[in-house]
Amino acid sequence: DLFELMVFYFTPLVMIGLRSFNMFEQIMNKKNQWSWHFLLNPGFNIQGAMVGCLLSLILYAIYHNVNFFSLLDGMALGLLIGEAIGRFGCLCYGCCWGLTTNSIIAINYINPNAKLLRLHPKLRGVSLHPVQLYFSAYSLITFVLGCCLFPYMKFPGQLAAITLFLHGIQRP
């Protein structure tokens, strides 16, 4: 049942993965000094979501005797559309920023609470490449490509492998 998968497996494990990987990253950046404020800091981590999703798919496949690789194909498409939408959050939050530019396609951060300005205050008002939008467009195009290729896949897991490859080449 799809509702059971979403409520009891997928959503809780993905949320735990999102936050736990982000807190781990914060701890590593603070030279291993744990503090309870890490629980309250905003931020998510896509790698944590992928680990949480994989765990939920493994548990669901074992419990319901379903082909894991078929589920993985569905996760691949979900990852792409989720990242296409989620990158707008990165744009608003000010993480994953690009290099300075003179292009008309640029973003300027002026809010002192933006992650970029908290880390690099001298970049206030500086035109930067909106790499979050580039990644979002790339993920959306890859999602559409995956949807078009899905009927032609020869075996379960093939779409997931292609998606993993395409997702990997987008990262600099």
Side-chain angles (χ1 to χ4, degrees):
D1 179 51
L2 182 61
F3 180 76
E4 179 184 354
L5 172 66
M6 295 300 290
V7 172
F8 296 112
Y9 295 95
F10 186 75
T11 304
L13 288 171
V14 167
M15 293 306 294
I16 289 168
L18 281 167
R19 285 299 295 148
S20 61
F21 271 58
N22 179 260
M23 287 188 303
F24 176 74
E25 181 180 49
Q26 290 180 39
I27 291 168
M28 296 307 291
N29 289 339
K30 301 279 186 184
K31 299 179 184 169
N32 297 329
Q33 297 174 2
W34 167 256
S35 174
W36 287 105
H37 80 275
F38 287 141
L39 296 173
L40 302 175
N41 282 351
F44 297 106
N45 191 302
I46 189 69
Q47 291 84 2
M50 290 169 37
V51 169
C53 187
L54 280 174
L55 287 174
S56 67
L57 293 182
I58 290 168
L59 291 173
Y60 188 85
I62 291 170
Y63 185 73
H64 292 283
N65 198 25
V66 178
N67 185 326
F68 170 74
F69 293 104
S70 295
L71 293 174
L72 203 58
D73 285 337
M75 183 199 93
L77 291 175
L79 168 75
L80 292 170
I81 196 67
E83 187 164 21
I85 296 167
R87 287 291 177 181
F88 285 97
C90 293
L91 182 72
C92 295
Y93 183 56
C95 60
C96 315
W97 59 88
L99 298 173
T100 59
T101 183
N102 292 323
S103 171
I104 60 169
I105 301 173
I107 186 164
N108 300 321
Y109 287 97
I110 57 171
N111 184 339
N113 293 321
K115 183 175 182 178
L116 167 69
L117 296 183
R118 284 186 279 128
L119 296 174
H120 305 283
K122 63 182 180 242
L123 290 177
R124 178 183 167 88
V126 175
S127 295
L128 303 170
H129 278 285
V131 294
Q132 308 93 328
L133 296 181
Y134 303 157
F135 286 152
S136 180
Y138 181 85
S139 294
L140 185 60
I141 291 167
T142 308
F143 171 78
V144 171
L145 179 65
C147 289
C148 292
L149 290 176
F150 187 73
Y152 303 102
M153 295 295 108
K154 302 289 184 206
F155 54 87
Q158 188 176 9
L159 183 62
I162 292 169
T163 300
L164 191 60
F165 172 76
L166 292 174
H167 189 266
I169 63 173
Q170 88 166 346
R171 307 294 276 179

